[in-house]
Structures are given as C-alpha cells and as structure tokens.
Amino acid sequence: MADLEISEEEDGDFDLAGDAVQQSNVPSPSEQSSSCTDNSEDDESSSQNHRMFWEKCERFEGLQVTFSPTEVAEHNEKQIMDYFQQYFDLAFFKDTSELTNMRYLQQTGRSLKLSAKELRVFIGATILMSCLRYPRVRMYWGKTTRVISITEIMTRDQHFTIRSNLKVIDDNAVTEETRRKDKLWKIRPLLERVKRACLSLPRSPEVAVDEQMIPFTGACAIKQFVRGKPNPEGLKNFVLAAPSGLVLDFEIYQGKETFPEAIGQQLKQGIGAPAVLRLCQSLPEGTHVFFDRYFTSVPLLESLAEKNLPATGTIMKSRIPRAVHLTADKILANQGRGSVDQTVRKDKLISIVKWYDQKPVITASTKVGKNPMDQCKRWSKKDRRYIQVRRPAVISCYNKNMGGTDLIDRMMSFYRVCTRTKKWTVKTIFHFIDLGIANSWIQYRSDRIKNDEPKKNILQYLDFKIRIPEHLLRGQEEQHSDEDDEESTPKRRRLLPPQSPSPSVTHLPEMTGLKNSMRCKNSGCTKKIKIRCKGCSVFLCLTSQKNCFSEYHQK
C-alpha cells in the first residue's frame, strides 16, 4: 500500500482562506514582545480565562507516553474461513435464517423454509457476483451469461425472495422506546457482531479516525450527503482504522443523538470531537491518534492528552486560538516551497506548524513538531520536473499514518456488492459483509508476512475473496457444528412438473385476481394469462386463437 501524500489536489487537507484573514491575526510589535515575556499577572489572568500564551519555538518534545498494547492471542495456523468466521460465524447464518423465515411468514402467511445452509449459499452467491461484476443480477441466470456455480444451486426467484426478506432482528421483540432512541435498531445485532470482532483485533501504535460512506440513494431517515466523497450520498460511518487499513472500531452517525454524552460539551466544537472520543475508548495509553481538519480542535487535543493519547491532525484557521500568531501566507510563499513556521503553547503541550508547499498546510499536534526536517519529492510545474522540498516531521508522520480508512474504502470499492434495492437495511448488511472480507484479507496478509511467507504464495484480495464463496457454495469449509443440515452440499429447489388432470374433478376455467400474469402450463405454449382451471389449479390459455385449456385436459 503506498503512503498517502498531501498534494495540491487534496483540497480537504488545505486551508483555502484568504491571506486577509491570516494577516488580521498578525500582532503589533508591542503585542509580540508581551506575548514572549514572562508576566505573572498575565499568567494569572490567562489561567482564569483558560487561555495559554503561545510563542515561537524551534523545539517541541510533545506528550511523552509509552504505548502499552493489550495482549491478543495469535493464531498462526488460521485458514481463510477462520478469518471470515470471526465476523460471520455459523450462529449468524442460523439466527438470520430463522428471522428471515419469521419475516416471510408474517408478510405472506406461508413458510419460506430457509435453512442456515441455504442462507450460506445465498451469501456465497452474492459475494461471487461482486467478484464477477455483471451489470444486472438477472444476467447470472441468463441463457448466454449463465454462471453454472450459481444457477445449479439456487434459482433466480429464490435469490430475490431471500434478499427482499433478509432480517437480522425480530421486530416484535423491539420496544417502542428502543425504536425511538436507536434509529439503527433494524440492524443492531449485525453491527454489534461485527464491532465485537473488530474490537478483538490487536491495537496498533498509530490509528486514524475518518469518515466512511455506506452508499445508498433511497429513502432513509439518517442518510447524509457529504460533498467530495466518491459516494457522496448514503449513511455516514465514523471509522477507527490502523495505517494498514484494518478497521478497529466504527460508529454509524444517526444524528445528534449518536453521542448523547457529548451534548452540551464537545458538541459545541461540532460532531467530530465526540466521534473521536467515542472511538478512542478502546485504545490503550500511548496510542497516537490522527484525524483531518473536520475533527481537529484544541479542546479535542486537550481531552485526548488527559487520557494519555497523543494526537495529530490538520486544522482549520477558524479553530486556531486567537493568541496564536502564524506567519502570513504571502511571506511563506516568498520564502519558497518548504518554508515552515512553528508556534508552541507555553505549557509545551500543543504545537501548531504551518508548512507551505503549493498551498499552506496547518497542523496541530501533541506529539510531533517540525523537527527533524526531511526531504520529499514534489512536482514543480515551473521546472517541469520533480524537486526536493523540505518537509517537517509532523507532515511526514501525518502522511504515513492517516490513510487507513481510505485504503479499506478503495479495497471495498474494487469488488463491492452492488445490488439495487430500496431497503437501506439490506444495503448496510452487504456493506459490512464487504468490510468483514476486507478486514479478513488484511489480517491474512499480515499473518503471512509475519510468518515469512513468500510473496508469490500470498493470495491477492480478489483471489482471497473468491475463495470465500467457493467454501460457502460448495460446503468445503471445515465444519464446526454437529448439525445435520451443515454436513451436505445444498441442492437446488426444482419446480415439480404439473400433474395430469384427475377425471373425478370438475374442470372449469376461472379468472384470477392476480396482479401479474402467469405462464401457461400447456407444453409448447409460452403465453402469460390470468385464467386457471378451477379443478386442478393449473394456468391455461383460453383465447379465440388458442385453446390450451381443452388440449391440456384431453391428454
């Protein structure tokens, strides 16, 4: 995975405000001298107002905390399905099949008779479809585009029936109070299952918090629109991820009630600060947290420092304290690319660094400052070649560790389960199946690298993802249950041929009130009608051009 670099195209990480705003913050010489001197009276008044002096300083040590990871049992002999079953085990398929049957029975009055084995086949077929990427689902059962591994096990109508009735919770068991408080109650068991698996993963010394979009364009009360995202419309998901892309925790945004403990406190700084504090609850002390300008604020950095969690992020000009005086953009531009200005708070807890490349980039950190400086290769439009530009340590550290969420988003987008549905619950279920597979591959790849596995023997993401439906469709996974329905390969349900008419029954045609027409059951006829035999309940044509009703009963 290539490290992310802040480029001139990434407007989200740059402050595009005009120079006039920056120049308005430049103090007079008397103010500069007073801000750099030690005045006890000013210190007392600033402490009363919860303000600190800021001064130009070349040295910044930051928060000194040792990372203390929690011990996690290692399993070096894991197979592919062992990784996948961390998120979706046999109990998930059994519970979901029962709830789907219950849903179908309540809606139609008939039993779907869906077993856990058949649900595994459905999930396997759906994952395989995402790898093949046909433009329409019906094409997998088409005459010329048929996929044998799917059509021999499951019919098209069965696939659509299961998908439209897919449920992970019993609606009747949810109280009205729970429905009011939790807008995600329809998929809450699935979210808790995947979240438990993510929380059991080993913690990384560096993590990043960022937004992730669950694509959905239908009607949903918690749908958001985030301009600039590859999928701007859908459900917003706050994600905590390692630099490798491994998702460690997440929280779907459902309005101001998402973080009830933050209302009236950090909510004044926006929803970003409560989201970071919520996702950092499972982190051990010393973990370095990264986030972008949407989340960063000085109160958030202070709150994380109280928990012994150093943090770094790009910051908006509007969130920089008024006491901070940074060099104007025009002055840095005249000094050339790579010019840096650093301001440190007097208690040495927070540093604010302004770096000028093509545009100014402002960062705030409780861990890293501008030193030690290094060199980075950047493209020069003027010289039409790559040049070496001085880069502060905080920018290098930010680029190296911030892109975890973007990495897993890109992986999921390559072979995402794309199915047209009006139900946000179904879309979210498929999203977290994709997330579980992507997380599984990252774990698999990391374990193989630790075991010094040759690179050619490590499966790529597409090959890894295809292996999962192979096991689900053909029953090749190791069985962890003694249930009889888990021991055999699922068979396709075939429609029985129409029975021959009984001579003891009176056969009369009747017009049904069905919404859709049915295909004529007489051999050789392909017409669709709404007429059926009252005696044998078989749909047959009865028109002036063709009388299949008479032909069928004379056989």
Side-chain angles (χ1 to χ4, degrees):
M1 300 292 182
D3 293 339
L4 295 179
E5 290 289 340
I6 296 183
S7 62
E8 57 182 322
E9 291 82 8
E10 295 176 313
D11 294 337
D13 290 340
F14 288 96
D15 201 330
L16 303 181
D19 294 335
V21 177
Q22 178 62 33
Q23 292 176 356
S24 64
N25 293 330
V26 178
S28 63
S30 60
E31 291 175 342
Q32 289 181 350
S33 60
S34 63
S35 64
C36 296
T37 58
D38 188 5
N39 191 322
S40 60
E41 295 180 359
D42 292 338
D43 287 342
E44 292 177 0
S45 61
S46 63
S47 61
Q48 292 175 359
N49 296 329
H50 302 284
R51 293 181 180 178
M52 287 284 184
F53 282 120
W54 297 74
E55 56 188 1
K56 303 291 183 181
C57 183
E58 293 293 323
R59 185 178 178 182
F60 175 72
E61 296 181 357
L63 190 64
Q64 302 298 323
V65 185
T66 304
F67 176 68
S68 53
T70 55
E71 296 183 0
V72 179
E74 296 184 358
H75 304 280
N76 296 326
E77 302 299 328
K78 277 187 178 181
Q79 302 299 321
I80 290 178
M81 288 304 295
D82 293 330
Y83 292 102
F84 179 73
Q85 289 176 355
Q86 291 179 115
Y87 306 90
F88 304 99
D89 53 7
L90 297 178
F92 165 77
F93 293 107
K94 182 178 179 181
D95 295 343
T96 306
S97 61
E98 294 176 354
L99 293 168
T100 303
N101 286 329
M102 186 184 304
R103 157 79 175 184
Y104 188 80
L105 181 63
Q106 293 172 352
Q107 293 293 321
T108 65
R110 302 188 302 271
S111 176
L112 185 59
K113 298 181 180 179
L114 178 68
S115 64
K117 172 179 56 178
E118 291 172 327
L119 182 62
R120 289 209 326 269
V121 170
F122 167 78
I123 297 296
T126 303
I127 297 172
L128 183 58
M129 291 176 188
S130 69
C131 298
L132 301 178
R133 298 182 65 84
Y134 279 10
R136 296 179 181 175
V137 176
R138 295 179 182 272
M139 293 179 65
Y140 295 97
W141 287 270
K143 293 182 179 179
T144 57
T145 57
R146 183 188 307 270
V147 179
I148 301 300
S149 57
I150 297 177
T151 57
E152 286 187 345
I153 300 178
M154 174 174 287
T155 65
R156 182 193 64 190
D157 293 343
Q158 186 182 8
H159 174 85
F160 285 119
T161 301
I162 296 174
R163 193 185 73 176
S164 60
N165 292 278
L166 198 61
K167 293 288 290 184
V168 294
I169 194 172
D170 182 11
D171 295 354
N172 297 327
V174 182
T175 62
E176 290 296 331
E177 182 180 1
T178 303
R179 298 187 184 194
R180 287 194 303 269
K181 291 183 178 180
D182 186 8
K183 297 179 182 179
L184 298 168
W185 63 271
K186 290 186 177 181
I187 55 170
R188 181 57 62 184
L190 172 73
L191 298 180
E192 295 300 326
R193 183 185 298 272
V194 178
K195 187 176 295 185
R196 283 196 302 268
C198 292
L199 292 175
S200 67
L201 300 176
R203 307 285 100 173
S204 172
E206 295 86 16
V207 296
V209 178
D210 205 350
E211 297 171 294
Q212 181 187 68
M213 295 302 293
I214 303 175
F216 183 70
T217 57
C220 181
I222 58 176
K223 186 177 66 174
Q224 301 288 315
F225 183 87
V226 181
R227 193 179 304 277
K229 293 288 185 180
N231 298 291
E233 192 173 5
L235 278 67
K236 182 190 292 188
N237 187 25
F238 294 108
V239 174
L240 178 74
S244 62
L246 189 67
V247 175
L248 305 176
D249 199 359
F250 60 87
E251 188 71 41
I252 297 180
Y253 179 67
Q254 46 180 323
K256 294 182 179 180
E257 298 80 9
T258 309
F259 311 105
E261 67 281 356
I263 295 179
Q265 301 175 7
Q266 292 291 340
L267 198 59
K268 296 180 180 179
Q269 296 291 334
I271 202 66
V276 173
L277 295 176
R278 152 64 187 86
L279 294 175
C280 290
Q281 292 176 355
S282 62
L283 297 179
E285 291 187 358
T287 304
H288 195 171
V289 186
F290 295 83
F291 29 75
D292 61 20
R293 65 203 299 265
Y294 175 80
F295 302 91
T296 311
S297 64
V298 172
L300 174 60
L301 298 178
E302 293 173 341
S303 299
L304 293 175
E306 293 175 358
K307 303 176 183 295
N308 290 327
L309 296 174
T312 300
T314 54
I315 188 171
M316 302 178 186
K317 282 185 179 179
S318 59
R319 294 183 181 177
I320 298 176
R322 293 183 178 181
V324 178
H325 307 298
L326 297 172
T327 306
D329 296 349
K330 290 184 178 180
I331 298 177
L332 292 178
N334 292 333
Q335 294 176 3
R337 297 180 65 173
S339 55
V340 182
D341 181 29
Q342 176 174 272
T343 302
V344 180
R345 204 165 77 171
K346 199 166 185 179
D347 61 353
K348 307 300 182 183
L349 179 63
I350 302 175
S351 73
I352 296 181
V353 178
K354 186 175 185 179
W355 178 55
Y356 194 91
D357 185 19
Q358 292 283 1
K359 298 177 182 178
V361 183
I362 306 177
T363 60
S365 177
T366 57
K367 179 70 174 180
V368 191
K370 73 173 187 178
N371 294 318
M373 301 281 289
D374 65 355
Q375 299 283 335
C376 64
K377 187 169 67 172
R378 310 291 287 166
W379 176 257
S380 174
K381 290 184 178 180
K382 181 180 179 180
D383 301 332
R384 294 189 177 182
R385 62 182 178 87
Y386 284 100
I387 61 175
Q388 294 295 325
V389 177
R390 294 172 67 247
R391 178 177 59 178
V394 63
I395 297 294
S396 175
C397 188
Y398 180 88
N399 289 342
K400 183 179 179 181
N401 299 291
M402 182 56 199
T405 305
D406 293 334
L407 287 176
I408 196 165
D409 271 350
R410 185 172 63 179
M411 287 172 51
M412 294 170 61
S413 66
F414 290 152
Y415 311 103
R416 186 187 299 276
V417 177
C418 295
T419 177
R420 295 182 62 184
T421 176
K422 296 181 180 180
K423 297 184 177 181
W424 66 269
T425 54
V426 175
K427 198 73 173 181
T428 307
I429 291 172
F430 290 154
H431 172 85
F432 281 98
I433 290 176
D434 281 336
L435 189 146
I437 296 175
N439 251 20
S440 299
W441 179 78
I442 295 173
Q443 291 178 258
Y444 158 83
R445 183 173 177 270
S446 177
D447 291 344
R448 294 301 185 270
I449 292 175
K450 288 180 181 178
N451 295 336
D452 297 326
E453 188 83 14
K455 187 176 181 180
K456 63 179 181 180
N457 295 339
I458 301 177
L459 295 176
Q460 296 297 318
Y461 178 57
L462 176 60
D463 300 325
F464 179 90
K465 191 169 185 177
I466 290 179
R467 293 290 182 88
I468 293 175
E470 285 180 357
H471 287 79
L472 295 176
L473 289 172
R474 302 176 184 175
Q476 294 176 352
E477 72 273 26
E478 295 182 4
Q479 302 298 331
H480 301 280
S481 174
D482 295 330
E483 297 181 7
D484 296 337
D485 63 338
E486 301 294 332
E487 297 179 356
S488 60
T489 304
K491 302 297 182 181
R492 175 178 176 178
R493 294 182 181 177
R494 298 186 179 275
L495 296 175
L496 296 176
Q499 300 178 355
S500 58
S502 173
S504 58
V505 178
T506 303
H507 303 282
L508 295 174
E510 66 173 353
M511 180 66 71
T512 62
L514 298 177
K515 182 178 179 180
N516 299 322
S517 301
M518 304 297 291
R519 189 179 297 277
C520 179
K521 300 302 181 182
N522 191 27
S523 59
C525 183
T526 58
K527 292 186 177 181
K528 291 186 176 181
I529 37 76
K530 296 183 180 181
I531 300 175
R532 68 180 175 186
C533 179
K534 191 174 182 179
C536 52
S537 298
V538 177
F539 286 87
L540 298 165
C541 293
L542 185 58
T543 64
S544 58
Q545 291 81 14
K546 193 170 185 180
N547 192 346
C548 292
F549 186 90
S550 178
E551 294 179 6
Y552 178 83
H553 290 90
Q554 290 177 0
K555 293 180 181 178

